[in-house]
Amino acid sequence: MRHLEFDGRYAEAILSGRKRATVRLGRKPNLKSGDEVLIHSGGRVIAKAVIERVESKTVGGLTDEDAHLDGFSSREELIRALKSHYKYVNDDSKAHVIVFRIVEKFDKPVMSSDYAYGGNLPVEIAEKALEHLDLSDEDRELLELFLKAGSLRKAAYRLGGMNKRYLIRDALRRAYEELKRRGIMGPKV
């Protein structure tokens, strides 16, 4: 199942239905209509949702309607929020509006790590991968940056912005799969 991650400050707006979309910058997300996703907020899985649509445009093409779906009162407020999450934002930046519908709310939010990487913590995966695997130079640098920064979010900012999170996640995913294949690490759930 796919995942959509949000800052903890958006949890209430998502669960109340005020926030029914998210605008993401950078590469197009690997999501399409009908995909089920787990909604993460503040490091916890708070709900399950279905993707209704994904629309690509530029930041300059964002509308008040996009802002309202994303829980903001205006396009200007949405753009201010984007600038707080991404290092580089201008009218030509690629933007993707992901509209979702909550299908299940979790009464007791569960830890994100219960769903990602077989229940193993990303820090454990990075440490074991650096110790036991012959990694590509790129993956080694990404995992070392992640450990040094102390969080995926901080490491992504050092790489140029939140839209770079996928680089670290992909390196963690490759490392976990190889650790699992070698029997060094396996699912905990």
Side-chain angles (χ1 to χ4, degrees):
M1 187 174 294
R2 307 255 184 227
H3 305 263
L4 271 180
E5 296 186 17
F6 295 87
D7 189 288
R9 64 184 153 180
Y10 298 120
E12 193 275 324
I14 292 166
L15 292 173
S16 71
R18 281 194 332 270
K19 183 174 182 65
R20 298 179 294 120
T22 182
V23 175
R24 303 292 167 102
L25 302 187
R27 76 177 184 148
K28 185 174 182 181
N30 189 18
L31 293 169
K32 64 185 181 314
S33 294
D35 283 351
E36 284 192 343
V37 295
L38 292 171
I39 302 287
H40 300 243
S41 184
R44 299 190 180 280
V45 179
I46 61 170
K48 187 189 302 183
V50 172
I51 301 299
E52 292 187 336
R53 73 177 189 271
V54 178
E55 183 181 354
S56 297
K57 50 177 74 179
T58 63
V59 168
L62 292 171
T63 65
D64 279 338
E65 180 185 349
D66 296 326
H68 295 142
L69 284 170
D70 202 352
F72 296 98
S73 61
S74 67
R75 177 184 179 279
E76 291 74 24
E77 185 182 3
L78 168 61
I79 291 172
R80 277 194 303 276
L82 290 172
K83 288 180 178 181
S84 77
H85 290 293
Y86 296 94
K87 193 169 183 176
Y88 303 105
V89 179
N90 62 47
D91 281 350
D92 295 327
S93 299
K94 292 179 184 178
H96 309 284
V97 182
I98 304 165
V99 181
F100 56 87
R101 177 176 40 85
I102 300 293
V103 293
E104 181 181 357
K105 296 176 187 177
F106 299 130
D107 291 333
K108 293 184 178 179
V110 294
M111 292 303 296
S112 299
S113 59
D114 290 346
Y115 287 98
Y117 316 113
N120 293 285
L121 295 175
V123 168
E124 293 172 340
I125 294 167
E127 289 172 344
K128 285 188 185 284
L130 289 167
E131 180 182 347
H132 297 287
L133 301 179
D134 184 24
L135 299 165
S136 69
D137 289 343
E138 181 182 5
D139 280 356
R140 178 168 293 285
E141 288 173 13
L142 288 167
L143 296 179
E144 287 173 346
L145 173 64
F146 166 66
L147 290 174
K148 184 177 179 183
S151 78
L152 199 135
R153 179 180 298 270
K154 289 177 185 174
Y157 275 119
R158 290 183 186 177
L159 289 171
M162 289 300 286
N163 59 328
K164 301 294 184 182
R165 288 178 296 189
Y166 77 93
L167 294 170
I168 301 159
R169 285 193 191 113
D170 288 351
L172 284 165
R173 196 170 298 109
R174 284 189 294 273
Y176 174 65
E177 290 303 320
E178 184 61 20
L179 289 165
K180 191 168 68 169
R181 189 184 72 73
R182 291 185 182 196
I184 298 170
M185 183 175 267
K188 290 183 177 178
V189 257

